[in-house]
Amino acid sequence: MALTGLDIYKQLPKTNCGECGVPTCLAFAMKLAAGGASLDACPHVTEEAKNALSAASAPPMRGVTIGTGDFAVKVGEELVLFRHEKTFFNAPGFALLVDDMMDEGEAVAKVEALKATKWERVGQALKANLVAVKNTSGDAAKFAGLVTKVQAATDMPLILMADSAESMEKALEVAGASKPLIYAATEGNADAFAELAKKHSAPLAVKAGSLDALGELTTKLDAAGVKDLVLDPGTRTLKETFENLVYLRRAALKKKLRPYGYPTITIPAEETDDDMMEAIHAAVYVMKYGGLIIMRDLSPEKAYPLFVLRQNIYTDPQRPMQVEQGFYPINSPDENSPVMVTTNFSLTYFIVSSEVEGSKQPAWLGVVDVEGLSVLTAWAAGKFVPERIAAFVKKSGIEEKVKHREVVIPGYVAQLSGELEDELGDWKVTVGPREASDISTFLKSYQTVNA
Amino acid sequence: MAFQTPTEQYSGKIREVTIGTGDSKVVTGGQNTLNFYNFEGTMPHRPLIAMEVYDTEPVEWAAALKDTLGDVWGDPVAWAKKCQDEFGADMICLQLASTDPNGADKSADEAAETVKAVLGAISIPLIVYGSGNADKDSEVLKKVAEVAQGQNTVIGTAVEDNYKSVAAAAMGFNQIVAGETPIDVNMAKQLNILMTNLGLPAEQILIDPAVGALGYGLEYAYSVIERDRLAALQQNDAMMQMPIIANMGREVWKTKEAKISQEEAPEWGDPTRRGILWETITAVSLLTAGTDILIMRHPESVKLVKKTLTEFGLN
């Protein structure tokens, strides 16, 4: 279904004007075919050609944005089945579920509590992203009432879950302007829900009894002018949902089947009554291939590991995560505590800092910016070198924090010690252990001269 | 329109490895598809869980572990029996931490006595891991292989610096070797080639990719295991078709996220459930990537992983 560079070239003006930023039309066509350019960059392409090409130049999985402003959540636009092939791009949005059969105060309190369900890790915010409000009662007024309360309690985008067009319409009168996800169009209500989605320019989730029926529905909705769709595979067991998510991702990326080229929505909340299993279903969908994940319970001890998993899986394998350069105090160090340095590769930092913490010995851990490489790699690349380490130590302000002048370097770069002492002047350099696992033993016997 | 199910067939298959003997033996591997993709291939044996037993009394372990395992700490035989009888472990993984030359530095003979005692007390297969010190492990594992003769146990780990002696011990006494390489596809393959060249049958090798825990390098382990698996299945690479074992319990439970108390980190919620989930999510991620044998620590995490396997239709 995808066009080749030559197919695209035939539709271009062939003037080689270069205004798109590429010297020739042929080169631009090749870039388009590879997904490395957008047709919008060509100012001279005809409307006719644009229509013919837009289908082929669109990404195989559409990106869909829910909500507006800073809290908007974008899902989709994934390009690979396995993260090592490139990277996963738009991390799944976690949504907390409340419904209109719950006590309203309790529902609002649950939403309020979500504000504290956020942390920072490696310079990134880990947080819940959306609130799903469900019309379990079937009562339109009741539903709209809860939507009003929830909207007042949070800035997060909403997922409105109702079966009847009447309930959805009422809720959209309240929340439609903030582009909530409408959940969900089914065979029974598709026409009415399509109208609501168009009226409010809101994204629409689609649910059907089989993948066949799902494709028919999305084709119909696309023809009706609703472009921002999210797919519910429809199943409610781990095994079946997993299977369908794999099929949907393959259908979109490998088979380039347009009716399936949308992000997905999964609902662990409806798949199990066990709170721990709910977290495990969610974990599986973080890996394969959930776009939105709706949970009824996002207590911190569940949310934190899930958000860390999401961060791990959606880290670009080509670009290691980095920790900010600086000295980190561990176990409340004072002016006599040891000073250690390592690199700012996040994994190196996490392992070293957790070993220092585990030793219960206070220490100042210095993290040198070497563009996110591990100790040996950074040394081999000429980035973890005496000049850079010395400049860091001098400028870091550690000299005001400690009375002594001794710095511990990783055992793997023992060969740097002499040169580093020369660079640092009044500092003494001590060679620490090669492996992080030996840090605890090392620190327990190591004393700075002044201590 | 009729949806054509985009299934995939692979040319390769994971090698079956039998651990243990007689009625108590278990088989791992044998699948011709990615883990949990049993909708398009076969996974004849569900992944296995070996529960950890230490030969020394644990210090500073999480309260969540102490509550459930504390009564058998310091007694590897009682600990192993408890894992077998109460917690439904598929196997026991005896961690010979006491042999660490930087620690208690117990001798190979002392370690072998513990192995004998544990073997005498359990009826499920045994995995024996050394302290991770390559030189000491080659000495210890040789003795272990000898006293466990006839039991078809797993000994590990063989690493670049000691694989010759560990593989020789396994060949001499008919044991299985867990070969460990630091999260790298090519190094894993290279070690398998070296060990098979020595004469160790491929059916007696497991790949230990030195995994990290959730938040501590899990993404590297995840992708390396996926790539190992795709090399085995898609490219039919015989030297990558060994089952994968993940020594993950210790990695999880040394993280502060699994250990730290409610008082120290109130923002992280209930510490018991947090620790259990940290281990369970690490385990499920490694399984999804392609792991066949998990070495785990907390009985509740083991229970949750088993429940997950059941939900995937793997009993």
Side-chain angles (χ1 to χ4, degrees):
Chain A
M1 197 169 282
L3 298 180
T4 65
L6 279 177
D7 294 333
I8 298 172
Y9 176 66
K10 288 177 193 151
Q11 306 275 350
L12 295 178
K14 306 187 194 70
T15 51
N16 298 337
C17 68
E19 284 174 51
C20 60
V22 181
T24 68
C25 290
L26 183 61
F28 181 61
M30 292 300 174
K31 238 180 138 178
L32 273 178
S38 159
L39 191 60
D40 301 339
C42 175
H44 304 298
V45 69
T46 63
E47 257 331 287
E48 195 185 325
K50 225 183 227 175
N51 289 337
L53 290 172
S54 67
S57 59
M61 185 197 293
R62 190 175 172 88
V64 173
T65 301
I66 301 154
T68 54
D70 291 347
F71 286 82
V73 176
K74 185 178 182 186
V75 290
E77 276 182 10
E78 297 301 335
L79 294 175
V80 293
L81 286 151
F82 300 99
R83 62 186 289 280
H84 64 260
E85 294 171 327
K86 189 171 179 70
T87 185
F88 290 169
F89 289 93
N90 291 306
F94 271 95
L96 178 71
L97 177 67
V98 293
D99 75 77
D100 62 2
M101 288 298 277
M102 292 169 74
D103 175 75
E104 208 174 75
E106 193 190 316
V108 170
K110 230 176 132 179
V111 172
E112 293 274 357
L114 209 53
K115 282 181 188 155
T117 311
K118 65 171 182 197
W119 304 273
E120 195 193 300
R121 196 177 171 96
V122 210
Q124 291 179 4
L126 305 183
K127 58 184 173 71
N129 313 88
L130 312 102
V131 177
V133 189
K134 191 175 177 185
N135 181 211
T136 308
S137 71
D139 180 328
K142 203 168 179 201
F143 183 47
L146 181 60
V147 170
T148 310
K149 290 265 165 60
V150 169
Q151 198 176 30
T154 184
D155 294 318
M156 291 183 197
L158 303 183
I159 299 174
L160 303 177
M161 307 175 81
D163 294 331
S164 84
E166 190 201 346
S167 288
M168 191 57 77
E169 189 166 9
K170 280 240 168 349
L172 283 166
E173 280 167 18
V174 175
S178 50
K179 308 271 174 277
L181 175 66
I182 300 171
Y183 179 97
T186 59
E187 278 157 78
N189 67 17
D191 293 337
F193 271 46
E195 282 314 309
L196 289 172
K198 279 197 286 190
K199 183 175 167 196
H200 295 278
S201 315
L204 179 62
V206 188
K207 183 181 161 186
S210 68
L211 295 187
D212 256 352
L214 190 64
E216 282 167 22
L217 256 184
T218 59
T219 306
K220 183 175 159 188
L221 289 163
D222 178 74
V226 187
K227 304 291 177 186
D228 286 331
L229 301 176
V230 175
L231 309 179
D232 180 344
T235 45
R236 291 295 182 266
T237 67
L238 178 64
K239 183 179 161 63
E240 293 170 306
T241 302
F242 179 80
E243 177 179 341
N244 278 342
L245 290 174
V246 170
Y247 284 152
L248 285 172
R249 175 68 71 97
R250 282 187 190 153
L253 301 188
K254 296 192 80 172
K255 305 285 178 196
K256 307 263 194 284
L257 295 175
R258 284 280 161 221
Y260 302 100
Y262 302 97
T264 61
I265 182 167
T266 62
I267 315 183
E270 293 181 0
E271 293 188 338
T272 172
D273 292 328
D274 179 325
D275 283 346
M276 297 294 260
M277 290 309 297
E278 186 191 29
I280 294 166
H281 286 214
V284 171
Y285 305 147
V286 165
M287 293 179 276
K288 301 202 172 173
Y289 293 111
L292 296 164
I293 302 174
I294 301 182
M295 311 267 294
R296 69 170 169 271
D297 172 26
L298 269 175
S299 358
E301 69 271 15
K302 284 170 73 178
Y304 193 59
L306 284 170
F307 296 172
V308 171
L309 177 68
R310 175 175 64 175
Q311 181 181 44
N312 282 176
I313 296 295
Y314 278 78
T315 295
D316 184 346
Q318 313 299 326
R319 285 199 321 197
M321 280 198 290
Q322 303 181 18
V323 178
E324 201 179 325
Q325 173 164 289
F327 268 95
Y328 292 79
I330 301 179
N331 299 331
S332 320
D334 62 18
E335 58 191 19
N336 295 318
S337 302
V339 170
M340 314 169 72
V341 291
T342 188
T343 69
N344 74 330
F345 175 35
S346 67
L347 190 51
T348 301
Y349 167 77
F350 274 127
I351 290 169
V352 171
S353 64
S354 85
E355 290 293 339
V356 176
E357 258 179 40
S359 78
K360 309 254 178 201
Q361 306 296 309
W364 298 96
L365 178 60
V367 168
V368 185
D369 181 3
V370 293
E371 292 140 58
L373 300 176
S374 66
V375 169
L376 267 184
T377 321
W379 170 75
K383 295 182 200 294
F384 197 52
V385 291
E387 302 80 51
R388 206 183 274 209
I389 301 169
F392 162 69
V393 170
K394 289 286 181 193
K395 284 185 197 146
S396 64
I398 192 71
E399 294 187 322
E400 282 85 65
K401 291 190 178 124
V402 296
K403 282 199 294 190
H404 66 85
R405 290 292 177 264
E406 275 184 53
V407 60
V408 181
I409 62 171
Y412 275 115
V413 289
Q415 62 272 38
L416 300 183
S417 58
E419 214 183 313
L420 183 57
E421 279 192 352
D422 294 345
E423 292 278 342
L424 277 169
D426 54 342
W427 284 72
K428 176 173 175 276
V429 175
T430 301
V431 176
R434 290 158 73 97
E435 299 294 340
S437 52
D438 296 323
I439 286 176
S440 186
T441 316
F442 170 83
L443 280 178
K444 280 170 185 160
S445 61
Y446 173 76
Q447 294 280 313
T448 56
V449 184
N450 295 12
Chain B
M1 61 175 266
F3 179 66
Q4 282 216 329
T5 313
T7 52
E8 288 190 9
Q9 302 299 318
Y10 299 110
S11 53
K13 182 178 152 185
I14 305 308
R15 199 172 273 109
E16 283 190 338
V17 172
T18 303
I19 308 169
T21 57
D23 291 344
S24 71
K25 72 178 181 218
V26 294
V27 184
T28 185
Q31 66 269 44
N32 61 3
T33 187
L34 294 169
N35 283 5
F36 304 147
Y37 285 50
N38 27 342
F39 46 81
E40 62 183 8
T42 55
M43 201 168 173
H45 313 292
R46 72 160 168 84
L48 297 168
I49 301 171
M51 288 186 74
E52 279 189 311
V53 168
Y54 278 77
D55 67 339
T56 49
E57 180 150 4
V59 277
E60 291 174 6
W61 276 22
L65 291 165
K66 190 161 190 190
D67 292 344
T68 170
L69 296 167
D71 58 331
V72 289
W73 285 0
D75 184 349
V77 170
W79 190 341
K81 276 187 73 70
K82 192 169 184 179
C83 290
Q84 171 187 278
D85 300 337
E86 283 181 41
F87 304 143
D90 298 316
M91 293 185 274
I92 296 298
C93 176
L94 180 61
Q95 304 266 15
L96 295 173
S98 74
T99 62
D100 186 354
N102 295 319
D105 200 18
K106 292 273 179 64
S107 71
D109 287 335
E110 285 171 282
E113 285 307 313
T114 311
V115 171
K116 270 199 275 186
V118 170
L119 272 172
I122 59 170
S123 58
I124 52 178
L126 183 68
I127 297 168
V128 182
Y129 266 42
S131 65
N133 179 292
D135 289 343
K136 185 68 181 284
D137 279 358
S138 63
E139 192 188 319
V140 169
L141 294 175
K142 186 171 163 219
K143 198 79 204 171
V144 168
E146 190 184 328
V147 299
Q149 187 167 16
Q151 300 293 326
N152 198 27
T153 59
V154 177
I155 58 171
T157 57
V159 295
E160 191 184 359
D161 291 336
N162 69 9
Y163 73 90
K164 284 183 184 157
S165 55
V166 177
M171 285 188 283
F173 301 102
N174 240 331
Q175 315 289 9
I176 299 150
V177 175
E180 178 184 352
T181 42
I183 34 177
D184 187 280
V185 180
N186 294 324
M187 287 167 86
K189 179 173 175 173
Q190 179 66 11
L191 185 60
N192 289 340
I193 292 171
L194 290 170
M195 290 198 292
T196 46
N197 282 349
L198 287 176
L200 182 67
E203 293 73 25
Q204 282 170 244
I205 298 177
L206 302 174
I207 296 172
D208 179 334
V211 302
L214 174 62
Y216 292 82
L218 178 70
E219 68 272 35
Y220 295 91
Y222 183 84
S223 285
V224 162
I225 293 173
E226 276 196 334
R227 290 170 56 208
D228 282 353
R229 225 3 92 90
L230 290 170
L233 296 173
Q234 278 180 344
Q235 292 148 41
N236 201 7
D237 186 335
M239 283 297 111
M240 292 305 294
Q241 287 169 341
M242 293 74 174
I244 294 172
I245 182 168
N247 189 11
M248 51 153 282
R250 59 167 191 176
E251 298 301 320
V252 167
W253 289 99
K254 75 181 181 195
T255 69
K256 76 175 168 215
E257 289 82 354
K259 269 200 310 207
I260 205 165
S261 69
Q262 177 107 45
E263 295 72 44
E264 289 171 281
E267 73 282 9
W268 285 349
D270 181 74
T272 302
R273 299 210 315 164
R274 182 194 337 120
I276 290 167
L277 272 179
W278 213 268
E279 182 168 29
T280 308
I281 290 178
T282 302
V284 170
S285 307
L286 294 171
L287 287 177
T288 306
T291 301
D292 300 291
I293 301 172
L294 298 165
I295 300 176
M296 298 183 63
R297 190 172 286 180
H298 198 293
E300 283 304 315
S301 311
V302 170
K303 209 187 273 178
L304 286 168
V305 171
K306 285 205 166 170
K307 188 144 192 252
T308 308
L309 293 174
T310 305
E311 290 196 14
F312 271 119
L314 298 165
N315 288 304

